[in-house]
Amino acid sequence: MVPEIRLDDRSFEEIVREARSRIEEIYPEWTDFNYHDPGITFVELFAYLKEVQQFHMDQIGKQHKRKFLKLLGMAPKKRCPAVTEAEVLHKGRLCLPPGSRFLTGDLVFETERWENLPDSRIQAAMAKNSQGQLLWKESFFQSDGAILVHPFGKCPQAGNQFLLCLDSPLEPGREFSLFFGIYEEYPVKRVPVKAGEFFCPLAELTLEYQTENGWKQAKVTEDESLALIQSGRIRFAVEEGMADKEEEGIKGFFLRLVLKHQEYDVAPLVTSLSFGHIRLVQRDTKARWGRKDRKDDGFWKADRYRKEGSLYRLMRQEEKAMDGQEIWTSLCLPEFYGSRILGRGDGFPNQRFPIPAKGVMAEGMALLVESLKEPGSYELWRQVDDFSGAGPEDCCYQVDEEAGAVLFGDSFHGMAPETEIRLVGCFCTAGTKGNLKAGKEVACNGISCRVLWEEKRGLDRESEEECALGASLRLRNRSRAVTKEDYEYWVRNTPGLRVQAACVLQHDNKDGFLEDNVVELAVRPFDENGQGFLSPAYRKNILAALEDRRLLGVRIRLHSPEYTGIGVYAEIRVRAGYLRAKEEVKAEIGAFFKELEGQFGSVISRGSLYGRLDSLDCVTQIHILSIEARGSRIRRSRTGDIFLPPAGVIFLQDVECIVVNQ
């Protein structure tokens, strides 16, 4: 633990006493140490200055703590809204624009983008192989869309198809979302892929729809499911009218997913299908700033700005935009429109303007300040976390989420405004109070939604003290791959993969010397059959995850497991009266090899297995115990022990046990 250093550790009297005691040594001619002596007066004066200096040096304020945290690469977390996945209970066609407001009590939830729900309902599904042969067919769907099917069969192959039959066609040119619930309850969990992280897909899919002229490819804009390896929505649009066709005796309007290429670790298993899922953010938009890309729907009050270089000129209500002009818009709630002007700057340092809203978020805030040289034109100022890196000419501001205010610099660090200040982008959230449990209903103009689960929890603003308390825990988190444990940790936590085991191997070059700049990694992907191999996509993802974390100059080599099948033959004499002796012996053999299954390069000790079987109450004598290993690069000792290669992994293939009663 880092010791606490105290700088203000001596009082005024102690400083004076120490200085007086050193006078005789430094200047022997000075003999009068009484208070009337002018030299003692100077000693006391400098002692006072030293005490004041050490007092101030020992004080640590918020600015100091913020600086120290910044040196550690940390900053207090800002207020964050909750994000939920919800099911629309409305039946029939529905179009929800971005910013549609759903209410539950005082909480406001909003849609992030256009959400289009069609009239169409899924009435049947089927899977075919690459030759068009039917693999399975399901013509009954529950009202909630719950199913349990392998969309490309239990053994997916390139060319397999997953067909969905709709009772009515989708509207051309409109974007829809089809949600796929994927079964994920496997012993090894898949590591989630966060936004912005690199991920090489394990499969390639195309979405097609049937027209009068055959199958046409749909325009897919987003695939949250990452080719059906996790639950998520596929957003797409059809560009032509769908045709009423018949497939395998089922008549309707068909969509199909075609598997172009696959390296799946486990075959996708779909648990639900729905067109009625939407994503809601617990956020109350007071003002939204952005490029004008659609007509005002009448609910919001708008200010339009024409961009001219780095300035934004306010347009009159009747003024029309000319071709080629870049128009920006600030859409405000009617009740917030009158509060959009925060005030007028006076040019003095450290100005502060309160924001007339509760639960203000720093994220998404946008501020315009009127230009001194060109009245009626505004400049977009930049938001910063603090003013330490800003100069006197930098147009920047800071948001105090706790107080709900906008702060400006002191004219040395950050410019002080002198003109009108407009708030053109402002979002509010309830933070942790906006977290809803599954099953809660929210409503918008008579349209109800039921919360299914929480994708992201809402958070309140973190204080400097809370950030400092958690700093030690965050510093202990691995960020680089240096040690053997680091490499194994990052391989197991590669985004999008299910890695059952990883191990750094000993390696030698051709001359028998260790290579210091090479890390050999054996990686065992999860597989339902217990024998997963590294696919090209797995290799790309693991190498990408280690690229920014490895030491410079270190090369990484990946190895698939070398699986070794184990066969055990035993002849054992047991006590009379033990009716389940054979089952007990087989269970003990299975437990012995179960302990070795997850290890690379393990040693199978015949003596250890012999001892475990001999310790069973039912066993009196072991006549024969033979262990057979079926694999490559295996070594055996004279005593019957088996040594696997460094990347070797065992699996118990068969056990033959002959039991003789005493």
Side-chain angles (χ1 to χ4, degrees), residues 279-310:
R279 183 171 289 111
L280 297 176
V281 181
Q282 197 284 296
R283 185 176 62 198
D284 185 2
T285 300
K286 302 297 184 183
R288 183 169 63 243
W289 171 252
R291 292 285 296 272
K292 186 173 178 61
D293 55 359
R294 64 184 179 87
K295 293 184 178 180
D296 184 18
D297 58 5
F299 176 75
W300 302 85
K301 296 198 70 173
D303 284 335
R304 297 182 302 151
Y305 299 83
R306 181 173 66 248
K307 189 172 183 182
E308 299 175 351
S310 61

PDB file of all heavy atoms in Angstrom, residues 279-310:
ATOM      1  N   ARG A 279     -35.492  -0.655 -29.479  1.00  0.00           N
ATOM      2  CA  ARG A 279     -34.533  -0.280 -28.438  1.00  0.00           C
ATOM      3  C   ARG A 279     -34.907   1.097 -27.895  1.00  0.00           C
ATOM      4  O   ARG A 279     -35.131   2.039 -28.662  1.00  0.00           O
ATOM      5  CB  ARG A 279     -33.107  -0.266 -28.988  1.00  0.00           C
ATOM      6  CG  ARG A 279     -32.057   0.055 -27.940  1.00  0.00           C
ATOM      7  CD  ARG A 279     -30.647  -0.139 -28.457  1.00  0.00           C
ATOM      8  NE  ARG A 279     -30.347  -1.553 -28.631  1.00  0.00           N
ATOM      9  CZ  ARG A 279     -30.173  -2.144 -29.803  1.00  0.00           C
ATOM     10  NH1 ARG A 279     -30.257  -1.440 -30.912  1.00  0.00           N
ATOM     11  NH2 ARG A 279     -29.910  -3.425 -29.868  1.00  0.00           N
ATOM     12  N   LEU A 280     -34.978   1.211 -26.564  1.00  0.00           N
ATOM     13  CA  LEU A 280     -35.353   2.454 -25.904  1.00  0.00           C
ATOM     14  C   LEU A 280     -34.217   2.933 -25.010  1.00  0.00           C
ATOM     15  O   LEU A 280     -33.581   2.125 -24.324  1.00  0.00           O
ATOM     16  CB  LEU A 280     -36.619   2.271 -25.058  1.00  0.00           C
ATOM     17  CG  LEU A 280     -37.899   1.893 -25.811  1.00  0.00           C
ATOM     18  CD1 LEU A 280     -39.032   1.647 -24.830  1.00  0.00           C
ATOM     19  CD2 LEU A 280     -38.285   2.980 -26.803  1.00  0.00           C
ATOM     20  N   VAL A 281     -33.990   4.238 -25.023  1.00  0.00           N
ATOM     21  CA  VAL A 281     -32.958   4.862 -24.189  1.00  0.00           C
ATOM     22  C   VAL A 281     -33.656   5.761 -23.179  1.00  0.00           C
ATOM     23  O   VAL A 281     -34.528   6.556 -23.542  1.00  0.00           O
ATOM     24  CB  VAL A 281     -31.977   5.696 -25.044  1.00  0.00           C
ATOM     25  CG1 VAL A 281     -30.893   6.313 -24.163  1.00  0.00           C
ATOM     26  CG2 VAL A 281     -31.344   4.833 -26.126  1.00  0.00           C
ATOM     27  N   GLN A 282     -33.276   5.612 -21.901  1.00  0.00           N
ATOM     28  CA  GLN A 282     -33.888   6.438 -20.857  1.00  0.00           C
ATOM     29  C   GLN A 282     -33.253   7.828 -20.921  1.00  0.00           C
ATOM     30  O   GLN A 282     -32.285   8.129 -20.222  1.00  0.00           O
ATOM     31  CB  GLN A 282     -33.684   5.804 -19.481  1.00  0.00           C
ATOM     32  CG  GLN A 282     -34.600   6.355 -18.396  1.00  0.00           C
ATOM     33  CD  GLN A 282     -34.174   7.724 -17.912  1.00  0.00           C
ATOM     34  OE1 GLN A 282     -33.093   7.871 -17.343  1.00  0.00           O
ATOM     35  NE2 GLN A 282     -35.019   8.734 -18.114  1.00  0.00           N
ATOM     36  N   ARG A 283     -33.825   8.639 -21.773  1.00  0.00           N
ATOM     37  CA  ARG A 283     -33.263   9.959 -22.045  1.00  0.00           C
ATOM     38  C   ARG A 283     -34.395  10.919 -22.382  1.00  0.00           C
ATOM     39  O   ARG A 283     -35.340  10.568 -23.079  1.00  0.00           O
ATOM     40  CB  ARG A 283     -32.290   9.848 -23.225  1.00  0.00           C
ATOM     41  CG  ARG A 283     -31.532  11.117 -23.564  1.00  0.00           C
ATOM     42  CD  ARG A 283     -30.552  10.829 -24.678  1.00  0.00           C
ATOM     43  NE  ARG A 283     -31.225  10.408 -25.900  1.00  0.00           N
ATOM     44  CZ  ARG A 283     -30.627   9.779 -26.907  1.00  0.00           C
ATOM     45  NH1 ARG A 283     -29.351   9.487 -26.827  1.00  0.00           N
ATOM     46  NH2 ARG A 283     -31.308   9.439 -27.982  1.00  0.00           N
ATOM     47  N   ASP A 284     -34.287  12.135 -21.855  1.00  0.00           N
ATOM     48  CA  ASP A 284     -35.268  13.174 -22.126  1.00  0.00           C
ATOM     49  C   ASP A 284     -34.575  14.257 -22.954  1.00  0.00           C
ATOM     50  O   ASP A 284     -33.770  15.028 -22.434  1.00  0.00           O
ATOM     51  CB  ASP A 284     -35.796  13.743 -20.811  1.00  0.00           C
ATOM     52  CG  ASP A 284     -36.921  14.751 -21.024  1.00  0.00           C
ATOM     53  OD1 ASP A 284     -37.307  14.965 -22.191  1.00  0.00           O
ATOM     54  OD2 ASP A 284     -37.398  15.322 -20.036  1.00  0.00           O
ATOM     55  N   THR A 285     -34.853  14.287 -24.239  1.00  0.00           N
ATOM     56  CA  THR A 285     -34.209  15.249 -25.132  1.00  0.00           C
ATOM     57  C   THR A 285     -34.892  16.602 -25.014  1.00  0.00           C
ATOM     58  O   THR A 285     -36.078  16.741 -25.327  1.00  0.00           O
ATOM     59  CB  THR A 285     -34.277  14.756 -26.589  1.00  0.00           C
ATOM     60  OG1 THR A 285     -33.615  13.498 -26.688  1.00  0.00           O
ATOM     61  CG2 THR A 285     -33.598  15.746 -27.530  1.00  0.00           C
ATOM     62  N   LYS A 286     -34.128  17.596 -24.561  1.00  0.00           N
ATOM     63  CA  LYS A 286     -34.640  18.963 -24.493  1.00  0.00           C
ATOM     64  C   LYS A 286     -34.369  19.708 -25.801  1.00  0.00           C
ATOM     65  O   LYS A 286     -35.198  20.496 -26.262  1.00  0.00           O
ATOM     66  CB  LYS A 286     -33.984  19.718 -23.335  1.00  0.00           C
ATOM     67  CG  LYS A 286     -34.179  19.058 -21.972  1.00  0.00           C
ATOM     68  CD  LYS A 286     -35.638  19.012 -21.588  1.00  0.00           C
ATOM     69  CE  LYS A 286     -35.818  18.441 -20.187  1.00  0.00           C
ATOM     70  NZ  LYS A 286     -37.246  18.323 -19.807  1.00  0.00           N
ATOM     71  N   ALA A 287     -33.183  19.462 -26.373  1.00  0.00           N
ATOM     72  CA  ALA A 287     -32.820  20.087 -27.651  1.00  0.00           C
ATOM     73  C   ALA A 287     -31.879  19.156 -28.383  1.00  0.00           C
ATOM     74  O   ALA A 287     -31.022  18.514 -27.762  1.00  0.00           O
ATOM     75  CB  ALA A 287     -32.169  21.447 -27.436  1.00  0.00           C
ATOM     76  N   ARG A 288     -32.049  19.058 -29.713  1.00  0.00           N
ATOM     77  CA  ARG A 288     -31.221  18.158 -30.522  1.00  0.00           C
ATOM     78  C   ARG A 288     -30.600  18.964 -31.660  1.00  0.00           C
ATOM     79  O   ARG A 288     -31.285  19.668 -32.391  1.00  0.00           O
ATOM     80  CB  ARG A 288     -32.060  16.996 -31.051  1.00  0.00           C
ATOM     81  CG  ARG A 288     -31.249  15.984 -31.835  1.00  0.00           C
ATOM     82  CD  ARG A 288     -32.027  14.725 -32.129  1.00  0.00           C
ATOM     83  NE  ARG A 288     -33.186  14.964 -32.969  1.00  0.00           N
ATOM     84  CZ  ARG A 288     -34.443  14.746 -32.601  1.00  0.00           C
ATOM     85  NH1 ARG A 288     -34.695  14.309 -31.377  1.00  0.00           N
ATOM     86  NH2 ARG A 288     -35.444  14.975 -33.426  1.00  0.00           N
ATOM     87  N   TRP A 289     -29.282  18.821 -31.817  1.00  0.00           N
ATOM     88  CA  TRP A 289     -28.517  19.587 -32.800  1.00  0.00           C
ATOM     89  C   TRP A 289     -28.009  18.650 -33.877  1.00  0.00           C
ATOM     90  O   TRP A 289     -27.443  17.584 -33.585  1.00  0.00           O
ATOM     91  CB  TRP A 289     -27.355  20.286 -32.097  1.00  0.00           C
ATOM     92  CG  TRP A 289     -26.346  20.953 -32.973  1.00  0.00           C
ATOM     93  CD1 TRP A 289     -25.069  20.525 -33.215  1.00  0.00           C
ATOM     94  CD2 TRP A 289     -26.505  22.174 -33.715  1.00  0.00           C
ATOM     95  NE1 TRP A 289     -24.423  21.391 -34.052  1.00  0.00           N
ATOM     96  CE2 TRP A 289     -25.289  22.426 -34.380  1.00  0.00           C
ATOM     97  CE3 TRP A 289     -27.548  23.066 -33.887  1.00  0.00           C
ATOM     98  CZ2 TRP A 289     -25.087  23.526 -35.195  1.00  0.00           C
ATOM     99  CZ3 TRP A 289     -27.361  24.164 -34.692  1.00  0.00           C
ATOM    100  CH2 TRP A 289     -26.140  24.392 -35.341  1.00  0.00           C
ATOM    101  N   GLY A 290     -28.212  19.010 -35.145  1.00  0.00           N
ATOM    102  CA  GLY A 290     -27.704  18.166 -36.216  1.00  0.00           C
ATOM    103  C   GLY A 290     -28.073  18.695 -37.581  1.00  0.00           C
ATOM    104  O   GLY A 290     -28.761  19.717 -37.734  1.00  0.00           O
ATOM    105  N   ARG A 291     -27.582  17.989 -38.601  1.00  0.00           N
ATOM    106  CA  ARG A 291     -27.896  18.343 -39.982  1.00  0.00           C
ATOM    107  C   ARG A 291     -29.381  18.134 -40.226  1.00  0.00           C
ATOM    108  O   ARG A 291     -29.968  17.153 -39.764  1.00  0.00           O
ATOM    109  CB  ARG A 291     -27.095  17.457 -40.945  1.00  0.00           C
ATOM    110  CG  ARG A 291     -25.598  17.703 -40.933  1.00  0.00           C
ATOM    111  CD  ARG A 291     -25.240  18.987 -41.665  1.00  0.00           C
ATOM    112  NE  ARG A 291     -25.569  18.908 -43.066  1.00  0.00           N
ATOM    113  CZ  ARG A 291     -24.749  18.439 -43.994  1.00  0.00           C
ATOM    114  NH1 ARG A 291     -23.543  18.000 -43.664  1.00  0.00           N
ATOM    115  NH2 ARG A 291     -25.104  18.419 -45.265  1.00  0.00           N
ATOM    116  N   LYS A 292     -29.997  19.028 -40.947  1.00  0.00           N
ATOM    117  CA  LYS A 292     -31.429  18.899 -41.238  1.00  0.00           C
ATOM    118  C   LYS A 292     -31.598  17.882 -42.352  1.00  0.00           C
ATOM    119  O   LYS A 292     -31.299  18.139 -43.502  1.00  0.00           O
ATOM    120  CB  LYS A 292     -32.027  20.244 -41.639  1.00  0.00           C
ATOM    121  CG  LYS A 292     -33.536  20.210 -41.822  1.00  0.00           C
ATOM    122  CD  LYS A 292     -34.089  21.605 -42.048  1.00  0.00           C
ATOM    123  CE  LYS A 292     -35.597  21.566 -42.272  1.00  0.00           C
ATOM    124  NZ  LYS A 292     -36.331  21.026 -41.140  1.00  0.00           N
ATOM    125  N   ASP A 293     -32.077  16.686 -41.971  1.00  0.00           N
ATOM    126  CA  ASP A 293     -32.236  15.626 -42.962  1.00  0.00           C
ATOM    127  C   ASP A 293     -33.685  15.189 -43.132  1.00  0.00           C
ATOM    128  O   ASP A 293     -33.990  14.268 -43.864  1.00  0.00           O
ATOM    129  CB  ASP A 293     -31.393  14.409 -42.568  1.00  0.00           C
ATOM    130  CG  ASP A 293     -31.696  13.917 -41.160  1.00  0.00           C
ATOM    131  OD1 ASP A 293     -32.548  14.536 -40.493  1.00  0.00           O
ATOM    132  OD2 ASP A 293     -31.083  12.925 -40.741  1.00  0.00           O
ATOM    133  N   ARG A 294     -34.620  15.834 -42.424  1.00  0.00           N
ATOM    134  CA  ARG A 294     -36.036  15.499 -42.587  1.00  0.00           C
ATOM    135  C   ARG A 294     -36.879  16.705 -42.192  1.00  0.00           C
ATOM    136  O   ARG A 294     -36.419  17.619 -41.516  1.00  0.00           O
ATOM    137  CB  ARG A 294     -36.418  14.281 -41.731  1.00  0.00           C
ATOM    138  CG  ARG A 294     -36.281  14.536 -40.230  1.00  0.00           C
ATOM    139  CD  ARG A 294     -36.577  13.275 -39.442  1.00  0.00           C
ATOM    140  NE  ARG A 294     -36.439  13.471 -38.023  1.00  0.00           N
ATOM    141  CZ  ARG A 294     -37.396  13.902 -37.227  1.00  0.00           C
ATOM    142  NH1 ARG A 294     -38.572  14.197 -37.740  1.00  0.00           N
ATOM    143  NH2 ARG A 294     -37.190  14.047 -35.937  1.00  0.00           N
ATOM    144  N   LYS A 295     -38.129  16.706 -42.587  1.00  0.00           N
ATOM    145  CA  LYS A 295     -39.007  17.821 -42.262  1.00  0.00           C
ATOM    146  C   LYS A 295     -39.424  17.766 -40.799  1.00  0.00           C
ATOM    147  O   LYS A 295     -39.560  16.694 -40.216  1.00  0.00           O
ATOM    148  CB  LYS A 295     -40.239  17.792 -43.165  1.00  0.00           C
ATOM    149  CG  LYS A 295     -39.928  18.071 -44.634  1.00  0.00           C
ATOM    150  CD  LYS A 295     -41.192  18.127 -45.448  1.00  0.00           C
ATOM    151  CE  LYS A 295     -40.888  18.455 -46.909  1.00  0.00           C
ATOM    152  NZ  LYS A 295     -42.108  18.509 -47.721  1.00  0.00           N
ATOM    153  N   ASP A 296     -39.622  18.951 -40.222  1.00  0.00           N
ATOM    154  CA  ASP A 296     -40.082  19.041 -38.846  1.00  0.00           C
ATOM    155  C   ASP A 296     -41.485  18.450 -38.756  1.00  0.00           C
ATOM    156  O   ASP A 296     -42.362  18.765 -39.560  1.00  0.00           O
ATOM    157  CB  ASP A 296     -40.081  20.505 -38.405  1.00  0.00           C
ATOM    158  CG  ASP A 296     -40.461  20.640 -36.937  1.00  0.00           C
ATOM    159  OD1 ASP A 296     -40.381  19.637 -36.211  1.00  0.00           O
ATOM    160  OD2 ASP A 296     -40.837  21.745 -36.546  1.00  0.00           O
ATOM    161  N   ASP A 297     -41.714  17.577 -37.753  1.00  0.00           N
ATOM    162  CA  ASP A 297     -43.017  16.928 -37.657  1.00  0.00           C
ATOM    163  C   ASP A 297     -44.035  17.782 -36.899  1.00  0.00           C
ATOM    164  O   ASP A 297     -45.148  17.321 -36.638  1.00  0.00           O
ATOM    165  CB  ASP A 297     -42.865  15.568 -36.973  1.00  0.00           C
ATOM    166  CG  ASP A 297     -42.251  15.701 -35.576  1.00  0.00           C
ATOM    167  OD1 ASP A 297     -42.038  16.836 -35.103  1.00  0.00           O
ATOM    168  OD2 ASP A 297     -41.998  14.660 -34.968  1.00  0.00           O
ATOM    169  N   GLY A 298     -43.694  18.998 -36.532  1.00  0.00           N
ATOM    170  CA  GLY A 298     -44.646  19.878 -35.874  1.00  0.00           C
ATOM    171  C   GLY A 298     -44.605  19.818 -34.363  1.00  0.00           C
ATOM    172  O   GLY A 298     -45.077  20.736 -33.685  1.00  0.00           O
ATOM    173  N   PHE A 299     -44.061  18.740 -33.799  1.00  0.00           N
ATOM    174  CA  PHE A 299     -43.993  18.632 -32.343  1.00  0.00           C
ATOM    175  C   PHE A 299     -42.882  19.506 -31.779  1.00  0.00           C
ATOM    176  O   PHE A 299     -43.023  20.115 -30.722  1.00  0.00           O
ATOM    177  CB  PHE A 299     -43.776  17.166 -31.950  1.00  0.00           C
ATOM    178  CG  PHE A 299     -43.607  16.962 -30.467  1.00  0.00           C
ATOM    179  CD1 PHE A 299     -44.705  17.025 -29.632  1.00  0.00           C
ATOM    180  CD2 PHE A 299     -42.352  16.732 -29.919  1.00  0.00           C
ATOM    181  CE1 PHE A 299     -44.553  16.844 -28.258  1.00  0.00           C
ATOM    182  CE2 PHE A 299     -42.195  16.550 -28.562  1.00  0.00           C
ATOM    183  CZ  PHE A 299     -43.303  16.608 -27.734  1.00  0.00           C
ATOM    184  N   TRP A 300     -41.748  19.580 -32.483  1.00  0.00           N
ATOM    185  CA  TRP A 300     -40.595  20.335 -32.015  1.00  0.00           C
ATOM    186  C   TRP A 300     -40.637  21.764 -32.562  1.00  0.00           C
ATOM    187  O   TRP A 300     -41.187  22.023 -33.615  1.00  0.00           O
ATOM    188  CB  TRP A 300     -39.294  19.669 -32.486  1.00  0.00           C
ATOM    189  CG  TRP A 300     -39.141  18.254 -32.036  1.00  0.00           C
ATOM    190  CD1 TRP A 300     -39.643  17.146 -32.648  1.00  0.00           C
ATOM    191  CD2 TRP A 300     -38.447  17.791 -30.885  1.00  0.00           C
ATOM    192  NE1 TRP A 300     -39.300  16.015 -31.956  1.00  0.00           N
ATOM    193  CE2 TRP A 300     -38.559  16.383 -30.856  1.00  0.00           C
ATOM    194  CE3 TRP A 300     -37.729  18.423 -29.864  1.00  0.00           C
ATOM    195  CZ2 TRP A 300     -37.987  15.606 -29.866  1.00  0.00           C
ATOM    196  CZ3 TRP A 300     -37.154  17.648 -28.870  1.00  0.00           C
ATOM    197  CH2 TRP A 300     -37.295  16.258 -28.869  1.00  0.00           C
ATOM    198  N   LYS A 301     -40.025  22.678 -31.821  1.00  0.00           N
ATOM    199  CA  LYS A 301     -39.816  24.042 -32.312  1.00  0.00           C
ATOM    200  C   LYS A 301     -38.367  24.130 -32.779  1.00  0.00           C
ATOM    201  O   LYS A 301     -37.454  23.633 -32.105  1.00  0.00           O
ATOM    202  CB  LYS A 301     -40.095  25.069 -31.216  1.00  0.00           C
ATOM    203  CG  LYS A 301     -41.559  25.073 -30.752  1.00  0.00           C
ATOM    204  CD  LYS A 301     -41.909  26.353 -30.019  1.00  0.00           C
ATOM    205  CE  LYS A 301     -41.951  27.543 -30.953  1.00  0.00           C
ATOM    206  NZ  LYS A 301     -42.439  28.771 -30.305  1.00  0.00           N
ATOM    207  N   ALA A 302     -38.155  24.740 -33.931  1.00  0.00           N
ATOM    208  CA  ALA A 302     -36.848  24.642 -34.580  1.00  0.00           C
ATOM    209  C   ALA A 302     -36.239  26.019 -34.836  1.00  0.00           C
ATOM    210  O   ALA A 302     -36.945  26.993 -35.121  1.00  0.00           O
ATOM    211  CB  ALA A 302     -36.967  23.878 -35.891  1.00  0.00           C
ATOM    212  N   ASP A 303     -34.904  26.060 -34.717  1.00  0.00           N
ATOM    213  CA  ASP A 303     -34.087  27.176 -35.197  1.00  0.00           C
ATOM    214  C   ASP A 303     -33.166  26.616 -36.271  1.00  0.00           C
ATOM    215  O   ASP A 303     -32.516  25.577 -36.062  1.00  0.00           O
ATOM    216  CB  ASP A 303     -33.242  27.779 -34.062  1.00  0.00           C
ATOM    217  CG  ASP A 303     -34.068  28.651 -33.137  1.00  0.00           C
ATOM    218  OD1 ASP A 303     -35.094  29.168 -33.592  1.00  0.00           O
ATOM    219  OD2 ASP A 303     -33.681  28.795 -31.964  1.00  0.00           O
ATOM    220  N   ARG A 304     -33.106  27.297 -37.410  1.00  0.00           N
ATOM    221  CA  ARG A 304     -32.261  26.842 -38.508  1.00  0.00           C
ATOM    222  C   ARG A 304     -31.040  27.744 -38.640  1.00  0.00           C
ATOM    223  O   ARG A 304     -31.122  28.961 -38.482  1.00  0.00           O
ATOM    224  CB  ARG A 304     -33.044  26.808 -39.816  1.00  0.00           C
ATOM    225  CG  ARG A 304     -34.220  25.826 -39.823  1.00  0.00           C
ATOM    226  CD  ARG A 304     -34.897  25.826 -41.183  1.00  0.00           C
ATOM    227  NE  ARG A 304     -35.357  27.165 -41.538  1.00  0.00           N
ATOM    228  CZ  ARG A 304     -35.472  27.606 -42.780  1.00  0.00           C
ATOM    229  NH1 ARG A 304     -35.130  26.820 -43.799  1.00  0.00           N
ATOM    230  NH2 ARG A 304     -35.899  28.837 -43.036  1.00  0.00           N
ATOM    231  N   TYR A 305     -29.918  27.091 -38.978  1.00  0.00           N
ATOM    232  CA  TYR A 305     -28.654  27.813 -39.127  1.00  0.00           C
ATOM    233  C   TYR A 305     -28.011  27.405 -40.446  1.00  0.00           C
ATOM    234  O   TYR A 305     -27.986  26.214 -40.790  1.00  0.00           O
ATOM    235  CB  TYR A 305     -27.698  27.499 -37.973  1.00  0.00           C
ATOM    236  CG  TYR A 305     -28.220  27.900 -36.610  1.00  0.00           C
ATOM    237  CD1 TYR A 305     -29.085  27.068 -35.898  1.00  0.00           C
ATOM    238  CD2 TYR A 305     -27.853  29.111 -36.035  1.00  0.00           C
ATOM    239  CE1 TYR A 305     -29.564  27.425 -34.650  1.00  0.00           C
ATOM    240  CE2 TYR A 305     -28.328  29.482 -34.785  1.00  0.00           C
ATOM    241  CZ  TYR A 305     -29.183  28.633 -34.100  1.00  0.00           C
ATOM    242  OH  TYR A 305     -29.657  29.005 -32.871  1.00  0.00           O
ATOM    243  N   ARG A 306     -27.490  28.403 -41.160  1.00  0.00           N
ATOM    244  CA  ARG A 306     -26.769  28.143 -42.403  1.00  0.00           C
ATOM    245  C   ARG A 306     -25.278  28.209 -42.096  1.00  0.00           C
ATOM    246  O   ARG A 306     -24.774  29.228 -41.606  1.00  0.00           O
ATOM    247  CB  ARG A 306     -27.154  29.168 -43.469  1.00  0.00           C
ATOM    248  CG  ARG A 306     -26.456  28.935 -44.813  1.00  0.00           C
ATOM    249  CD  ARG A 306     -26.981  29.874 -45.895  1.00  0.00           C
ATOM    250  NE  ARG A 306     -26.635  31.264 -45.605  1.00  0.00           N
ATOM    251  CZ  ARG A 306     -27.526  32.199 -45.285  1.00  0.00           C
ATOM    252  NH1 ARG A 306     -28.818  31.891 -45.202  1.00  0.00           N
ATOM    253  NH2 ARG A 306     -27.139  33.442 -45.055  1.00  0.00           N
ATOM    254  N   LYS A 307     -24.576  27.129 -42.408  1.00  0.00           N
ATOM    255  CA  LYS A 307     -23.152  27.085 -42.101  1.00  0.00           C
ATOM    256  C   LYS A 307     -22.367  27.837 -43.167  1.00  0.00           C
ATOM    257  O   LYS A 307     -22.491  27.568 -44.354  1.00  0.00           O
ATOM    258  CB  LYS A 307     -22.659  25.638 -42.017  1.00  0.00           C
ATOM    259  CG  LYS A 307     -21.232  25.532 -41.493  1.00  0.00           C
ATOM    260  CD  LYS A 307     -20.810  24.105 -41.231  1.00  0.00           C
ATOM    261  CE  LYS A 307     -19.403  24.073 -40.646  1.00  0.00           C
ATOM    262  NZ  LYS A 307     -18.922  22.700 -40.425  1.00  0.00           N
ATOM    263  N   GLU A 308     -21.549  28.779 -42.703  1.00  0.00           N
ATOM    264  CA  GLU A 308     -20.690  29.577 -43.584  1.00  0.00           C
ATOM    265  C   GLU A 308     -19.279  29.521 -43.029  1.00  0.00           C
ATOM    266  O   GLU A 308     -18.926  30.267 -42.113  1.00  0.00           O
ATOM    267  CB  GLU A 308     -21.196  31.022 -43.660  1.00  0.00           C
ATOM    268  CG  GLU A 308     -22.604  31.146 -44.216  1.00  0.00           C
ATOM    269  CD  GLU A 308     -23.124  32.578 -44.153  1.00  0.00           C
ATOM    270  OE1 GLU A 308     -22.447  33.419 -43.514  1.00  0.00           O
ATOM    271  OE2 GLU A 308     -24.191  32.848 -44.732  1.00  0.00           O
ATOM    272  N   GLY A 309     -18.484  28.607 -43.559  1.00  0.00           N
ATOM    273  CA  GLY A 309     -17.139  28.393 -43.016  1.00  0.00           C
ATOM    274  C   GLY A 309     -17.232  27.746 -41.652  1.00  0.00           C
ATOM    275  O   GLY A 309     -17.811  26.673 -41.488  1.00  0.00           O
ATOM    276  N   SER A 310     -16.671  28.421 -40.633  1.00  0.00           N
ATOM    277  CA  SER A 310     -16.733  27.893 -39.272  1.00  0.00           C
ATOM    278  C   SER A 310     -17.876  28.500 -38.477  1.00  0.00           C
ATOM    279  O   SER A 310     -18.060  28.169 -37.301  1.00  0.00           O
ATOM    280  CB  SER A 310     -15.407  28.168 -38.546  1.00  0.00           C
ATOM    281  OG  SER A 310     -15.162  29.564 -38.455  1.00  0.00           O
TER     282      SER A 310
END
